[in-house]
């Protein structure tokens, strides 16, 4: 969490968020009203936040990582824009540290060249669209970072991603997996494209598949930028 994000939570009159994320900052919320909702209640949650702001309260809507990367920033803006400009609450988006950036730092330097970030969650995006994005990113030799790589319900999708990537990359291509990046229980695993799906992967994991130049040396995953060294 950035200092600016921390101050925003401390200065808020009301804090709104997904229950799992509320729990992560529970120690900051002992004296504040909290509005927490479950998964798949994002619209209701953000609408309530906008209504609280319309009532004159300073509201902090929290997301995991960066609110503009698979977070609630876009939805809050969409809902706020439905109100006339003269009563519309001011929306300030406070950048955070995204899982892809945090995980890359833990693994070494895998994002030093062009990369694509793809979520494997098909709750809001059709799976065929996701597969096409994986195919294009693989063909383009992008380093690929996978959010929401596997859940109790979604177990086959990560295998399909592996098969797509293997059409364009060597089986030995480095793959890094980070679990609970920057949080309690953080750990990372280095593997390769052929074997990485045998490792433990869940919704709190982020997977980074290297490009054709990525290599592993002394436990660090590195994608060269192109400098002569």
């Amino acid at each position: 969490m950035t200092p600016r994000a921390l101050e925003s939570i401390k200065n808020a009159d009301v804090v709104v968020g997904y229950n799992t994320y509320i729990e992560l900052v529970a120690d900051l919320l002992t004296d504040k009203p909290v509005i927490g909702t479950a998964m798949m209640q994002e619209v209701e949650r953000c609408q309530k936040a906008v209504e609280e702001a319309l009532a004159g309260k300073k509201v902090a809507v929290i997301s995991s990582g960066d609110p503009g990367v698979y977070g609630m920033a876009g939805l809050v803006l969409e809902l706020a824009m439905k109100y006339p400009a003269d009563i519309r609450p001011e929306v300030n988006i406070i950048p955070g540290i995204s899982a892809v950036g945090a995980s890359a730092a833990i693994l070494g330097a895998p994002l030093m060249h062009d990369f694509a970030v793809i979520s494997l969650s098909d709750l809001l995006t059709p799976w065929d669209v996701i597969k096409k994005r994986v195919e294009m990113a693989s063909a383009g030799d992008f380093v690929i970072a996978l959010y929401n790589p596997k859940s109790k319900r979604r177990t086959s999708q990560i295998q399909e991603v592996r098969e797509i990537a293997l059409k364009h990359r060597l089986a030995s291509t480095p793959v890094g997996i980070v679990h609970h990046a920057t949080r309690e229980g953080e750990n990372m695993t280095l593997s390769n494209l052929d074997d990485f799906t045998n490792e433990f992967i869940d919704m709190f994991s982020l997977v980074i598949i290297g490009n054709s130049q990525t290599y592993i040396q002394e436990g660090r995953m590195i994608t060269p930028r192109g400098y002569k060294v």
Side-chain angles (χ1 to χ4, degrees):
M1 187 185 301
T2 63
R4 186 179 170 197
L6 179 62
E7 286 302 309
S8 296
I9 293 174
K10 288 181 177 180
N11 294 331
D13 300 318
V14 182
V15 174
V16 180
Y18 173 42
N19 288 331
T20 298
Y21 302 154
I22 292 289
E23 291 174 8
L24 292 173
V25 292
D27 58 320
L28 302 176
L29 310 177
T30 54
D31 61 344
K32 295 183 184 298
V34 174
I35 299 172
T37 64
M39 184 70 77
M40 300 301 293
Q41 294 180 315
E42 290 85 359
V43 175
E44 294 88 340
R45 181 194 319 151
C46 290
Q47 180 62 45
K48 183 63 176 175
V50 172
E51 290 171 359
E52 291 286 316
L54 284 167
K57 296 178 182 177
K58 188 179 294 184
V59 184
V61 179
I62 64 171
S63 296
S64 176
D66 189 300
V69 181
Y70 300 122
M72 294 293 100
L75 181 54
V76 169
L77 282 174
E78 288 183 87
L79 293 170
M81 292 294 181
K82 291 181 177 292
Y83 293 89
D86 59 333
I87 65 167
R88 184 184 304 146
E90 181 182 0
V91 178
N92 295 306
I93 299 167
I94 311 300
I97 299 170
S98 65
V100 66
S103 297
I106 293 164
L107 292 167
L111 305 182
M112 292 303 297
H113 217 302
D114 300 334
F115 63 94
V117 178
I118 302 172
S119 170
L120 299 193
S121 173
D122 57 0
L123 290 175
L124 300 173
T125 306
W127 178 239
D128 284 345
V129 173
I130 296 171
K131 286 198 297 182
K132 182 177 180 180
R133 290 171 179 171
V134 172
E135 181 82 49
M136 296 299 100
S138 298
D141 201 28
F142 286 87
V143 174
I144 302 174
L146 301 174
Y147 275 69
N148 307 310
K150 187 177 180 181
S151 69
K152 293 179 180 178
R153 181 183 65 85
R154 289 183 295 100
T155 58
S156 63
Q157 284 86 340
I158 191 73
Q159 296 288 353
E160 291 186 60
V161 167
R162 171 185 170 274
E163 293 166 8
I164 292 170
L166 279 170
K167 293 191 298 181
H168 303 277
R169 300 186 191 181
L170 297 175
S172 59
T173 300
V175 176
I177 303 165
V178 179
H179 186 65
H180 281 301
T182 73
R183 298 177 185 161
E184 184 178 352
E186 171 190 298
N187 64 78
M188 70 98 161
T189 302
L190 293 171
S191 184
N192 58 59
L193 190 55
D194 204 30
D195 300 327
F196 82 96
T197 53
N198 296 322
E199 303 292 342
F200 176 75
I201 300 173
D202 66 1
M203 286 290 283
F204 292 101
S205 304
L206 189 128
V207 177
I208 297 181
I209 301 172
N211 69 9
S212 61
Q213 303 302 308
T214 304
Y215 64 94
I216 293 173
Q217 183 172 346
E218 297 183 17
R220 310 306 294 274
M221 185 175 176
I222 303 169
T223 300
R225 182 71 178 92
Y227 301 111
K228 294 184 183 300
V229 295

